[in-house]
Amino acid sequence: MSLHTRLFGAFLCCAVLPGLAAAEGNRLTLACAPLAPADAGSEETAPLPASPGFLLAPVKTDRAGAGEIQATGPDGGPFAGVTASHTGPFAWTAGTVLNTLTVEGTTADGRTLVFWHRLDQAQAAVPPAGQLVKLICEVS
């Protein structure tokens, strides 16, 4: 084996493999609870689960985390989605519902404030009505 081949192999081990491992390690699991009760009188949106959970896994992202993801949420999955960075915002479509998760910051007790917006793209209302839910999440 030539010196050039060995150097190239060492480069691959040192440069490429840690990036793949880091991508796997960037999976986010969010176990959430609504910050305030959902509006029970709202007819245009589906009822929300009491404890929504999300799994966001990178598929093809750059160093900043921007790119393609797979999102699994309360409505099933995984669904193809996109993100702008390691911390979002995250977006995916489940059926006709466009979901976005936006991380707003951390609370004093270390949990994370997240906005979950759902917009059913098949509704007839003009303009369409979306549903915004504030969540407090444990992130792992």
Side-chain angles (χ1 to χ4, degrees):
M1 189 183 298
S2 72
L3 177 62
H4 176 62
T5 304
R6 279 190 246 155
L7 288 175
F8 182 71
F11 169 76
L12 282 178
C13 288
C14 294
V16 176
L17 293 179
L20 294 175
E24 179 66 24
N26 288 332
R27 294 171 62 116
L28 292 176
T29 302
L30 290 86
C32 305
L35 188 60
D39 180 10
S42 177
E43 294 182 19
E44 64 271 350
T45 57
L48 294 173
S51 300
F54 304 91
L55 173 64
L56 306 166
V59 173
K60 185 176 181 182
T61 57
D62 62 17
R63 288 183 182 257
E68 300 171 24
I69 61 166
Q70 279 192 333
T72 303
D75 43 1
F79 299 104
V82 295
T83 182
S85 72
H86 293 296
T87 57
F90 305 95
W92 68 95
T93 301
T96 61
V97 179
L98 173 62
N99 292 272
T100 59
L101 286 180
T102 305
V103 177
E104 288 298 311
T106 57
T107 61
D109 63 1
R111 295 181 296 168
T112 303
L113 176 62
V114 175
F115 290 164
W116 178 25
H117 186 261
R118 299 171 46 181
L119 177 67
D120 188 346
Q121 301 170 89
Q123 63 184 288
V126 177
Q131 182 179 30
L132 179 65
V133 179
K134 295 177 185 177
L135 303 171
I136 292 289
C137 304
E138 297 281 339
V139 180
S140 58

